[in-house]
Amino acid sequence: MRKLDNKWLLTAGSMQKFSQRITNRDDVFVYIGETDGPALFNMNSREIEISEDIPMGEGQSDFMDPDVRLQYDLATGLLVHESGHVKHSILDPNLFTQEPLALNKYELDIFFLLEESRIEKNIVKSWQNHRHYLRRSAVWLLQGDENKEITANEKARILLLGYGRISAGILNPKDLELMHPIMREHFGDETIDKLRDLWVEFQAQPDEEIFEKKRITKEVAEILLPFEESDSDSEFLEKLKELLSLLELALEFEKNDLFLEKDKKENKTPKEEVKKIRTLS
């Protein structure tokens, strides 16, 4: 386990406590600092790693405070997502590269894309109030590497990560409307329908199931493989950037609405509460 910079002690400690609510484990730690990506769960060190570049209040934020979690909803979303992996994922890739139905590298990449929405679906089953945080992190993660060439593989990534989260109840169907024409033109309605049936089946699998997850992954990979040779698409990149900008704005409004709703509940007078109770009775 790496040494944590003192300035992150409060923030990391409070994140760790909050994560334990989801994982029901006290052997998983939170590290904030330089990381290989925005967030990940390091199985070897049992650490949820959060990049120090993610906005979270310069090290003085207490994530046990609901207002802090909402203020820094991206950091909260990444923390909730990685806690979901701790709680619901089998994280040893060796289990998926062994027979029967051993996955090759391409199939293993597909597996982890499918797993993203499966674990988030399980999180909101138990923690519906975490949905906003997962929406926030999902939209941010869909951006990927802005310098990456937009290939067919990138379209498949958006299809599985984005549309898969609609089926999981994280994103709304209207959230990705802007992408529908491009996705339909590229994959075709029949292919999208087949893939949707498969990722919904994958999302329904129990955490400990291995064989069925590998079987479904191989079917998804077989369907997507012929599309890998497609040319890059600048229009897709433009539409994706436009879509994600609109979603970021919508989520800011959503966050403000949640703050207002919380303030309204906290500022009710005792008389209003009594009136509400009498009405209900």
Side-chain angles (χ1 to χ4, degrees):
M1 188 167 64
R2 288 177 290 178
K3 181 175 174 58
L4 189 67
D5 190 304
N6 285 340
K7 77 172 185 176
W8 295 116
L9 287 175
L10 173 62
T11 301
S14 64
M15 282 185 159
Q16 187 170 313
K17 288 180 182 178
F18 181 67
S19 175
Q20 287 172 359
R21 290 183 179 180
I22 300 170
T23 63
N24 290 321
R25 288 176 58 172
D26 59 6
D27 63 337
V28 175
F29 308 96
V30 172
Y31 170 82
I32 301 172
E34 293 185 6
T35 60
D36 292 334
L40 58 88
F41 175 57
N42 187 323
M43 185 177 60
N44 294 324
S45 62
R46 300 196 311 281
E47 287 178 318
I48 292 175
E49 300 180 3
I50 308 285
S51 170
E52 62 186 358
D53 295 330
I54 301 297
M56 59 184 103
E58 302 300 325
Q60 298 303 311
S61 301
D62 182 359
F63 276 76
M64 293 302 290
D65 183 339
D67 284 347
V68 171
R69 293 199 296 269
L70 195 52
Q71 181 180 0
Y72 301 112
D73 54 352
L74 172 56
T76 305
L78 294 170
L79 176 64
V80 170
H81 178 85
E82 297 306 328
S83 299
H85 278 304
V86 175
K87 176 76 173 176
H88 296 292
S89 287
I90 299 172
L91 294 164
D92 183 357
N94 293 323
L95 295 174
F96 297 96
T97 55
Q98 296 169 356
E99 296 294 349
L101 293 181
L103 302 180
N104 59 36
K105 185 181 183 305
Y106 174 69
E107 292 167 340
L108 193 60
D109 289 343
I110 296 293
F111 166 81
F112 285 118
L113 292 176
L114 291 167
E115 182 73 351
E116 295 287 272
S117 60
R118 190 192 72 83
I119 62 114
E120 290 192 358
K121 181 175 182 178
N122 282 312
I123 292 170
V124 294
K125 277 183 183 178
S126 302
W127 304 88
Q128 182 62 35
N129 59 328
H130 292 351
R131 181 173 181 260
H132 168 79
Y133 304 129
L134 291 174
R135 283 168 56 74
R136 181 70 177 83
S137 61
V139 170
W140 193 81
L141 290 168
L142 280 174
Q143 296 173 10
D145 182 354
E146 64 180 16
N147 297 315
K148 185 190 295 184
E149 184 180 18
I150 300 300
T151 63
N153 187 50
E154 185 68 3
K155 289 180 181 177
R157 188 183 75 88
I158 298 298
L159 187 67
L160 297 181
L161 290 180
Y163 284 68
R165 280 182 166 97
I166 292 176
S167 301
I170 307 302
L171 296 178
N172 299 321
K174 285 189 175 182
D175 287 341
L176 300 180
E177 264 186 343
L178 201 62
M179 303 307 302
H180 293 348
I182 292 177
M183 289 298 189
R184 288 192 183 115
E185 181 182 355
H186 183 72
F187 293 105
D189 287 338
E190 184 178 349
T191 298
I192 292 174
D193 288 343
K194 285 180 182 177
L195 289 169
R196 183 183 294 108
D197 288 344
L198 287 168
W199 73 55
V200 167
E201 185 181 1
F202 189 98
Q203 289 170 4
Q205 298 304 311
D207 295 341
E208 67 277 4
E209 176 58 49
I210 297 177
F211 184 86
E212 285 300 307
K213 288 178 186 174
K214 292 200 290 187
R215 176 189 63 78
I216 296 166
T217 297
K218 283 184 171 291
E219 290 189 41
V220 171
E222 185 178 4
I223 292 172
L224 287 174
L225 192 58
F227 295 95
E228 286 293 294
E229 302 303 320
S230 301
D231 296 330
S232 60
D233 189 344
S234 59
E235 183 188 0
F236 181 85
L237 177 59
E238 292 172 5
K239 290 291 185 184
L240 180 60
K241 286 183 176 179
E242 182 182 352
L243 169 71
L244 294 174
S245 295
L246 290 171
L247 283 176
E248 291 275 6
L249 182 61
L251 286 167
E252 280 300 310
F253 282 115
E254 184 174 288
K255 178 167 76 171
N256 290 336
D257 286 344
L258 288 169
F259 267 124
L260 289 172
E261 182 181 343
K262 183 177 180 296
D263 289 344
K264 187 176 179 181
K265 287 179 180 178
E266 291 178 352
N267 293 329
K268 285 186 185 299
T269 65
K271 187 178 292 185
E272 287 174 323
E273 289 296 330
V274 169
K275 184 178 178 180
K276 180 179 177 182
I277 293 170
R278 285 176 178 170
T279 303
L280 292 173
S281 61

